[in-house]
Amino acid sequence: MQHLIRTDDFTISEIEEILEDAKKFSDGRFERILQDKIIITLFFENSTRTKSSFEIAAKRLGAEIVHLDVAQSSTKKGETLVDTAANLDAMHPDAIIVRHQNSGVPKMLSNNIKASIINAGDGAHAHPTQALLDLYTLREHFGDLRGKKIAIVGDIKNSRVANSNIELLSRFGMEVILAAPPHFLPKTELRTTHFLESIVDEVDVIMSLRTQTERHSSQSYASLKDYASDFCITTELIGDRDIVLLHPGPVHRNIDICDALLADKRCKVLKQVTNGVSIRMAVLKKLITQS
Amino acid sequence: MQHLIRTDDFTISEIEEILEDAKKFSDGRFERILQDKIIITLFFENSTRTKSSFEIAAKRLGAEIVHLDVAQSSTKKGETLVDTAANLDAMHPDAIIVRHQNSGVPKMLSNNIKASIINAGDGAHAHPTQALLDLYTLREHFGDLRGKKIAIVGDIKNSRVANSNIELLSRFGMEVILAAPPHFLPKTELRTTHFLESIVDEVDVIMSLRTQTERHSSQSYASLKDYASDFCITTELIGDRDIVLLHPGPVHRNIDICDALLADKRCKVLKQVTNGVSIRMAVLKKLITQS
Amino acid sequence: MQHLIRTDDFTISEIEEILEDAKKFSDGRFERILQDKIIITLFFENSTRTKSSFEIAAKRLGAEIVHLDVAQSSTKKGETLVDTAANLDAMHPDAIIVRHQNSGVPKMLSNNIKASIINAGDGAHAHPTQALLDLYTLREHFGDLRGKKIAIVGDIKNSRVANSNIELLSRFGMEVILAAPPHFLPKTELRTTHFLESIVDEVDVIMSLRTQTERHSSQSYASLKDYASDFCITTELIGDRDIVLLHPGPVHRNIDICDALLADKRCKVLKQVTNGVSIRMAVLKKLITQS
């Protein structure tokens, strides 16, 4: 049984196959190939977009989704996480989609159960389907990505989206530059900068990350505005340069990206959402029908 | 793409078509014509009956329902309502069913997204599928409604159910009389009364509305009893007159309608619930397959 | 319309038929025989395992599940439980699966509505599908159960699982012994003991019940440890005796059963979970297609 915990669980050729399937699905060429399959969602962190995206992906292929309401679950009755998962596994689902606030939980579960585990985001560790949909969106736009440059902007240190994209986009030949204030930068061998202006002339893509206000509850609005004055992607910053804008959503308007650019053709935020469904269809197909 | 925000979004002939489809569906004549269609529910107000009714309607026609758990949603992460809807829309659902405590929200969303918006109740503005199922229930009972008289009773001023029924039933030829205490009456050109006794000899239908205790939290039980003594539909009031009783539910027993009448054949409350599923099937069919 | 409120709602021959169907379903021999059927879940008590098990059972047979979110439901709007159920019934579901903290609620509902009521646990009264899956698990292991002895261990007095198993397993020829501290024992004509050691040499099966910490919130950890020192099923207690261990889950590790035995082949806890899906498929088939 194959799992998807991190992007490097898949080889380049496996990813190419996923991108091809996603393209077919985007074009409406698909059937109920997952009819009679049962997929459990086990989300310990709230999520509108990712959970809905997986659910729609599964249902488009004819699979059945069973949501575990974790807030009301057995974990409240003194059951361990592994026991909860083992019990779910004993009902023989075909896959379990897990989101958890702690890094490593999906991996741990995959070591203990038979169903395919799909990581829908764990702590600051990984969010592989997000990186795959970003890759798909960029491939759709550019074709070959070798030699292209992307700046990832924002709270990179705490971002599973950044982690997964750094691994995946590097593997497909992109140069990754990290742009953030010092306290948001991880230890890295990648090129870094504290000044967006210094790299705006050379990048092909800017990926803005979500400012995590709900994780930094002590952070004042003043400091968010301070952040925005340096790192919000604005029309003044990029002008008419041919730069593709990505963001994993939900976007903080005028903190992450300005209103004008959100409405601009260079901004692919809604395209990412659309592509997310196709990528997740392809991932579900691969893990459930081929392993 | 056609939406259903208010009853007057549909012409008389469109409504006749919906009533005919609903009749077929009530007779069990339907197939999985919405197989592979995805319908999102986006309920910002709690609802048991309306949400379940839409869900059962959709599933009877083979569609898939994706519930957005709004309490846990991106709106908590600082995303605007329009952005949330635009993101859902980017997943290419076929329809989004919206309930919101503020009037006008479904209309606003329909201006910004591609999927069909179905209004499942917005503030005190409109509740079109409720009015359609009431129309269907009355047509089933009376046939032609021209010249028939209906008294709508209760907190009419704050009632989206009353608003939608006034528009729709008037259009189908009924005379509408509003019966309520002064503070529950809207400004209107319709005939009004504060005394049920004064109209009970001439009406063919009485539609009792739900006393909204949860919206008038300061209202004491004493005043609810006072209300009931004047406006509860009782056996003493209607005697053996041939009057059809409607209520959108949930009924406050012995405040809105007395126990005895709720068990009486003239009371169509459960018939309304049954018809609600058929009407919503017909509405979903029309909006999803014909636009 | 047939309901399942208690295990004695079914005759021996009906139960044999259910066990046969469950066996077929366990072997993967089933089709979408409940396609186009609508099943409502109405859970007034939280449940991960039972609700998911019913949901997966229903979906494996092609039925549609509609969850009523009771915490947000009409019961909050002053509607009685019977009215809520009557309204759901008016939408013509094929079955309603009910869990309620009060004994007798499923029975009361079955007297007032047309859909099949399936009791998923009511107060300390009954949990028939749990007993059926326990029976199935034991039959699978032993074949004929006549003359076999089972000790039920723990808070028997407050346990619907114990109640249903006592009725059902006795009917299939097992001798039931109750092992518990005095305050956990019901008035009974069955054999009882306060000392597990006194019966461990003669029993074929031990069914440990869940210590209900959430129902005895004043109970200190000290007393749970005291309980465990007398009634936890441990390797020291059963040694290498050929005893099958059952538990309805979720298990309190090292309070109900020790870690080592939970990993032992004699422990059928996960097998019970797997069998639960098959049994519930068989129950749904019987109630929905044959009545």
Side-chain angles (χ1 to χ4, degrees), chain C residues 103 122-126 152-164 166 177-188 190 192 207 209-212 215-216 227:
Chain C
S103 302
D122 63 326
H125 172 232
I152 301 180
V153 179
D155 184 0
I156 299 158
K157 197 174 178 178
N158 295 304
S159 171
R160 55 195 177 211
V161 173
N163 269 354
S164 288
I166 289 168
I177 304 167
L178 308 182
H183 56 289
F184 281 172
L185 280 175
K187 287 188 185 170
T188 180
L190 295 170
T192 64
M207 176 184 289
L209 301 176
R210 222 177 82 71
T211 40
Q212 302 274 350
R215 294 194 186 169
H216 306 286
Y227 170 84

Side-chain angles (χ1 to χ4, degrees), chain A residues 111-291:
Chain A
N111 293 337
N112 284 278
I113 72 175
K114 285 181 204 140
S116 258
I117 292 283
I118 300 171
N119 181 5
D122 63 326
H125 172 231
H127 192 351
T129 57
Q130 177 68 43
L132 286 166
L133 76 87
D134 291 334
L135 172 66
Y136 177 49
T137 305
L138 293 176
R139 280 282 289 262
E140 203 177 27
H141 185 85
F142 291 109
D144 192 352
L145 296 178
R146 282 174 294 186
K148 300 288 178 193
K149 286 188 192 173
I150 180 170
I152 301 181
V153 179
D155 183 0
I156 299 158
K157 196 175 181 177
N158 296 303
S159 171
R160 55 196 177 208
V161 173
N163 269 354
S164 288
N165 267 301
I166 290 168
E167 191 288 320
L168 188 65
L169 299 180
S170 299
R171 197 143 48 109
F172 277 79
M174 292 190 82
E175 182 187 338
V176 180
I177 304 167
L178 308 182
H183 56 290
F184 280 171
L185 280 175
K187 286 187 186 173
T188 180
E189 295 181 359
L190 295 171
R191 191 174 143 198
T192 64
T193 179
H194 306 324
F195 305 100
L196 275 178
E197 295 77 4
S198 71
I199 47 134
V200 73
D201 278 327
E202 54 180 308
V203 296
D204 304 284
V205 185
I206 295 177
M207 175 184 289
S208 171
L209 300 176
R210 222 177 82 71
T211 40
Q212 302 273 349
T213 46
E214 74 278 15
R215 294 195 187 169
H216 305 288
S217 54
S218 64
Q219 199 171 37
S220 70
Y221 184 69
S223 74
L224 257 190
K225 275 180 91 169
D226 285 349
Y227 170 83
S229 78
D230 288 340
F231 292 98
C232 183
I233 315 302
T234 61
T235 313
E236 292 83 51
L237 177 73
I238 70 167
D240 60 358
R241 291 178 185 87
D242 188 18
I243 294 177
V244 168
L245 295 184
L246 300 180
H247 189 291
V251 179
H252 270 164
R253 285 180 168 269
N254 302 312
I255 303 290
D256 300 341
I257 302 178
C258 75
D259 284 341
L261 282 180
L262 282 170
D264 190 288
K265 276 169 57 180
R266 292 169 290 180
C267 177
K268 304 294 182 193
V269 169
L270 293 178
K271 188 74 185 162
Q272 286 171 280
V273 175
T274 301
N275 288 342
V277 175
S278 301
I279 276 291
R280 290 178 178 115
M281 291 169 78
V283 165
L284 291 172
K285 178 193 163 195
K286 174 162 183 52
L287 293 180
I288 294 176
T289 69
Q290 297 177 18
S291 61

Side-chain angles (χ1 to χ4, degrees), chain B residues 173-201:
Chain B
M174 292 189 83
E175 183 187 336
V176 179
I177 305 167
L178 307 182
H183 55 291
F184 280 172
L185 281 174
K187 287 187 186 170
T188 180
E189 296 180 357
L190 295 171
R191 191 174 143 199
T192 64
T193 179
H194 306 326
F195 304 100
L196 275 178
E197 295 77 5
S198 70
I199 47 133
V200 73
D201 278 326

